[in-house]
């Protein structure tokens, strides 16, 4: 798995948590109470190829949102698509979703950022969002999104909706017991996830790191035929 620091890019530093981000934390806390089927960090890694292949199929949905075909989805395009799908999101909710996923503040979601957006839409389980999932054709992607949620829950040992450095090291140690490098690997993985450097990782940060680990931010234009 490669590093997640972008070439020439610096992720924006998070300010106060938005209502959306608080909903994400609460949703992950609830899911953590249900437990996880994963037993090791290696079991997460083994799923990378299947997850990568599944998420690349989202390119069709991405192209539907990207009305001007410039490779990015801006806030107006997001709003227009929701209106076409007859999804009742307020302007504030659309703004929150957009800003949560436009991590580089380019004023446009690239494909890997769009993957994060889709997964957040999946995670937010209220009637409006559930309707959005169906109309966006996300039904066949739910097993993939569920695996990503499961992976985060595996790392979140204390079930507080965040992942700490010690929790990542613990997860790596469970897989690599006795290996001298396991602590160093855990620290590296945590640094790759902790984009705002505040010492804890949200589900959103985890998703961005995951898209880099499986290579979704690279050579996206070559994958349309998959």
């Amino acid at each position: 798995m490669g590093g997640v620091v972008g070439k020439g890019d610096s992720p924006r530093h998070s300010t106060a948590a938005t209502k959306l981000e608080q909903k994400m934390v609460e949703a992950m806390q609830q899911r953590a109470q249900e437990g996880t089927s994963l037993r090791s960090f290696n079991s997460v890694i083994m799923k990378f190829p299947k997850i990568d292949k599944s998420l690349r199929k989202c390119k069709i949905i991405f192209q539907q949102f990207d009305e001007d075909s410039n490779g990015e989805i801006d806030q107006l395009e997001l709003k227009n698509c929701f209106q076409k799908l007859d999804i009742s999101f307020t302007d504030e909710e659309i703004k929150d979703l957009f800003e949560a996923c436009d991590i580089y503040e380019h004023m446009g979601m690239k494909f890997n950022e769009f993957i994060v957006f889709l997964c957040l839409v999946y995670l937010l389980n209220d009637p409006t969002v559930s309707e959005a999932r169906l109309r966006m054709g996300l039904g066949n992607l739910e097993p993939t999104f569920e695996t990503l949620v499961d992976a985060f829950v595996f790392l979140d040992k204390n079930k507080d909706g965040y992942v700490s450095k010690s929790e990542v090291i613990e997860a790596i140690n469970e897989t690599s017991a006795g290996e001298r490098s396991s602590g160093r690997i855990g620290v590296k993985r945590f640094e790759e996830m902790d984009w705002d450097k505040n010492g804890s990782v949200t589900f959103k940060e985890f998703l961005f790191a995951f898209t880099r680990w499986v290579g979704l931010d690279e050579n996206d234009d070559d994958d349309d035929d998959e």
Side-chain angles (χ1 to χ4, degrees):
M1 299 186 299
V4 301
V5 177
K7 307 173 186 69
D9 279 324
S10 296
R12 68 177 170 203
H13 188 84
S14 296
T15 55
T18 65
K19 293 178 182 178
L20 173 66
E21 288 172 332
Q22 185 58 39
K23 285 182 180 180
M24 282 189 284
V25 171
E26 292 171 356
M28 292 311 304
Q29 289 171 340
Q30 292 176 352
R31 297 300 292 273
Q33 298 304 318
E34 301 172 12
T36 174
S37 61
L38 299 175
R39 293 293 176 263
S40 71
F41 197 74
N42 275 351
S43 65
V44 178
I45 296 173
M46 292 293 290
K47 296 178 182 291
F48 278 14
K50 186 175 181 179
I51 292 172
D52 181 27
K53 184 175 181 179
S54 176
L55 292 180
R56 288 181 189 276
K57 294 178 181 178
C58 296
K59 201 63 180 282
I60 295 174
I61 303 174
F62 177 81
Q63 290 167 341
Q64 291 173 348
F65 277 60
D66 182 18
E67 296 174 342
D68 59 7
S69 301
N70 70 342
E72 295 182 351
I73 296 170
D74 61 35
Q75 194 167 324
L76 180 59
E77 288 173 324
L78 188 61
K79 182 177 180 179
N80 289 344
C81 190
F82 279 8
Q83 289 176 340
K84 289 178 183 178
L85 293 170
D86 196 25
I87 299 171
S88 301
F89 276 57
T90 67
D91 287 348
E92 181 181 1
E93 288 170 332
I94 293 173
K95 181 175 180 289
D96 278 353
L97 273 170
F98 182 83
E99 291 182 350
C101 299
D102 182 24
I103 199 167
Y104 289 124
E105 293 188 303
H106 287 162
M107 299 309 295
M109 284 191 287
K110 295 185 180 296
F111 182 55
N112 67 318
E113 294 170 319
F114 183 66
I115 292 297
V116 175
F117 162 78
L118 291 180
C119 200
L120 296 186
V121 168
Y122 168 76
L123 179 66
L124 299 174
N125 189 26
D126 61 57
T128 301
V129 175
S130 295
E131 181 73 10
R133 293 199 322 236
L134 292 175
R135 295 188 180 186
M136 290 166 63
L138 298 183
N140 58 346
L141 291 169
E142 290 195 2
T144 297
F145 292 148
E146 193 60 33
T147 298
L148 292 171
V149 171
D150 216 22
F152 186 88
V153 169
F154 169 72
L155 294 173
D156 182 16
K157 301 298 184 183
N158 68 359
K159 301 179 175 28
D160 68 348
Y162 298 91
V163 171
S164 67
K165 183 185 296 184
S166 62
E167 287 174 322
V168 175
I169 292 173
E170 180 181 346
I172 299 293
N173 283 339
E174 289 173 356
T175 298
S176 310
E179 292 187 18
R180 295 174 60 185
S181 63
S182 60
R184 186 170 65 252
I185 293 172
V187 170
K188 178 176 173 58
R189 293 291 166 254
F190 177 79
E191 290 175 347
E192 290 170 348
M193 291 187 286
D194 185 20
W195 285 44
D196 62 8
K197 309 303 179 188
N198 71 346
S200 63
V201 171
T202 64
F203 184 55
K204 181 184 75 174
E205 289 177 301
F206 167 77
L207 290 174
F208 274 110
F210 204 97
T211 63
R212 290 295 183 90
W213 289 344
V214 299
L216 282 174
D217 62 320
E218 299 172 356
N219 303 319
D220 292 328
D221 293 337
D222 298 333
D223 300 312
D224 294 342
D225 57 348
E226 289 190 12

